[in-house]
Amino acid sequence: MIIPLAHDLRGDGPLLVLVHGITENRRSWDPLTDDLARDHRVLRVDLRGHGESPGGDDYGIAALVDDVAAVVAGADPGGRAPLLVGHSLGGMVVTAYAAAHEVRGAVNVDQSLDLAPLQGGIQAQADNLRGEAFPAVIAALFDSMRGPLPDAEWARLDALRRPDQAVVLGIWGLLLDTTPTELERAVDGMVAGLTAPYLALDGIDPGPGHAEWLARRIPQAQLEVWDGLGHYPHLVEPRRFLERLRAFEADLAEG
């Protein structure tokens, strides 16, 4: 069942869709939105169970994609293909969206599609995540990925997070309730057929061999590592990110 997502639209121009990370909401994009709305129709959504959007029974990636696709269809009845940008969980969502729907391109900000290392860490904390220690585990996870984000920006993000245990466990069911082999098959199925231009921009180095891992699944993918910037490279260096996004988009037009 499609969940009607809270969202906002700003600006005029080609459609650009922004998808936030887990526990956050569309306001996480505030530092970038004014600039992007100068020459785009910017659509920001709150994923189901996040921000002002209601929850649902299903938190699988396919369900999240269907919700976003419904909002995109309403935002641009002409059916023009959007450019999608997703951070963290949003990176997974825009990747799966691009495999299932027509897009101009997709940008995945700091969400490795090789989920095996994350699965190991999440499964090691399974009991804590399902119990009363959940808030402390989530807080520690975000703290570990902060990087050089300024204090004021970190406080802003912390204020808008909504770490709902049921929502997080629903989304992380893919990690908690599968074997490594099942997880790999799920990811391979999620990206199958993705032929659109694709940029993976990481602030945390995904490690040796990742470029080859990614190329086997998304041959056209560009991988950039802005090492040392942590989980929020787009907010640590917003000007650099905006310039890179516009360069990626310019290449789409030339192609």
Side-chain angles (χ1 to χ4, degrees):
M1 183 179 72
I2 300 295
I3 298 295
L5 301 184
H7 62 278
D8 54 45
L9 273 168
R10 295 178 57 186
D12 190 29
L15 185 61
L16 173 65
V17 182
L18 302 177
V19 186
H20 61 81
I22 196 167
T23 78
E24 298 175 359
N25 63 51
R26 66 189 189 270
R27 295 295 305 275
S28 66
W29 297 101
D30 279 359
L32 306 173
T33 304
D34 284 348
D35 188 287
L36 291 171
R38 291 189 294 107
D39 48 7
H40 295 88
R41 183 168 171 80
V42 179
L43 170 62
R44 310 189 306 179
V45 300
D46 288 346
L47 295 172
R48 61 171 62 188
H50 291 75
E52 298 174 301
S53 291
D57 295 329
D58 183 359
Y59 288 97
I61 293 296
L64 302 183
V65 167
D66 288 346
D67 293 345
V68 175
V71 181
V72 170
D76 192 350
R80 292 172 293 180
L83 172 61
L84 288 92
V85 181
H87 169 246
S88 193
L89 169 63
M92 294 291 292
V93 173
V94 303
T95 299
Y97 188 112
H101 300 273
E102 183 182 2
V103 300
R104 291 190 292 127
V107 179
N108 173 357
V109 183
D110 206 66
Q111 177 56 67
S112 172
L113 301 180
D114 181 3
L115 296 174
L118 178 60
Q119 181 182 45
I122 294 300
Q123 290 192 350
Q125 291 288 340
D127 290 343
N128 289 327
L129 286 166
R130 291 176 171 132
E132 295 181 1
F134 171 81
V137 174
I138 292 297
L141 174 65
F142 281 111
D143 285 344
S144 72
M145 299 187 296
R146 172 179 171 174
L149 200 66
D151 289 346
E153 184 60 10
W154 185 245
R156 185 186 73 84
L157 289 174
D158 193 52
L160 59 80
R161 289 194 187 103
R162 190 175 101 190
D164 185 293
Q165 188 173 26
V167 173
V168 172
L169 292 178
I171 292 169
W172 281 353
L174 180 64
L175 302 170
L176 287 164
D177 304 326
T178 61
T179 67
T181 298
E182 290 169 339
L183 178 62
E184 185 174 12
R185 287 174 181 165
V187 171
D188 288 347
M190 183 187 74
V191 303
L194 200 170
T195 59
Y198 189 90
L199 172 62
L201 198 161
D202 293 325
I204 300 174
D205 191 337
H210 183 73
E212 293 77 13
W213 184 96
L214 183 62
R216 287 196 298 271
R217 290 157 175 83
I218 309 175
Q220 76 280 13
Q222 303 175 52
L223 173 64
E224 291 187 18
V225 179
W226 295 3
D227 196 19
L229 295 193
H231 193 46
Y232 298 88
H234 57 308
L235 300 179
V236 173
E237 295 192 5
R239 181 55 50 191
R240 180 184 178 190
F241 178 78
L242 289 166
E243 291 174 355
R244 183 64 187 94
L245 178 58
R246 285 197 164 89
F248 177 73
E249 189 172 21
D251 288 343
L252 304 182
E254 293 176 2

